[in-house]
Amino acid sequence: MPRMKTLLLAAAMASIALAGQALAHAHLKSSAPAANSTVKQAPSVLDLSFTESLNLKFSGATVTGPDKKTIKTGDAALADGDKTLTVPVSDKLAPGTYTVEWHVLSTDGHKTNGSYSFTITP
Ligand SMILES: [Cu+2]
């Protein structure tokens, strides 16, 4: 039944195409400081590099410090073909573990979010 085979093939190709679209959402590729890293110097800016271009208006990050206090951050900006979200840190970060919770809207209109931590040593 060649017609049935063609239909099955078309269905398989359609599902692969859909899976490809799902993979096109903005995922966090790398960051500075890196996720789960330990750094000696307190960063003055956080860089979050994504797999897709972002819409700045609907993208951002909040930083929580060792005492669960929200860290003051400046206005986020985009760099690197709008794929990197840069978040200035206003205060000098004390030693401890910090958690970065991010949410982004990629230019394809999909929202993603996540979080990671890094530690500053004394
Ligand atoms: Cu998407």
Side-chain angles (χ1 to χ4, degrees):
M1 276 204 274
R3 193 179 145 72
M4 191 65 190
K5 263 190 186 161
T6 308
L7 279 173
L8 281 173
L9 188 65
M13 282 170 72
S15 61
I16 288 168
L18 284 173
Q21 260 178 11
L23 288 173
H25 299 180
H27 297 288
L28 185 64
K29 200 170 64 177
S30 61
S31 64
N36 304 316
S37 68
T38 300
V39 295
K40 277 188 173 164
Q41 205 167 357
S44 56
V45 66
L46 307 177
D47 291 331
L48 288 78
S49 295
F50 290 87
T51 54
E52 302 293 322
S53 296
L54 307 176
N55 183 328
L56 181 60
K57 215 177 154 186
F58 300 100
S59 302
T62 56
V63 186
T64 309
D67 47 5
K68 308 276 182 226
K69 226 175 74 184
T70 303
I71 303 302
K72 244 183 258 170
T73 53
D75 288 336
L78 295 179
D80 181 32
D82 293 349
K83 288 185 176 182
T84 298
L85 185 72
T86 63
V87 182
V89 180
S90 313
D91 303 328
K92 193 181 185 325
L93 300 180
T97 298
Y98 292 81
T99 301
V100 182
E101 285 186 81
W102 56 266
H103 66 276
V104 298
L105 177 73
S106 52
T107 49
D108 70 357
H110 294 132
K111 286 179 181 175
T112 47
N113 62 74
S115 69
Y116 64 90
S117 298
F118 64 88
T119 300
I120 299 170
T121 56

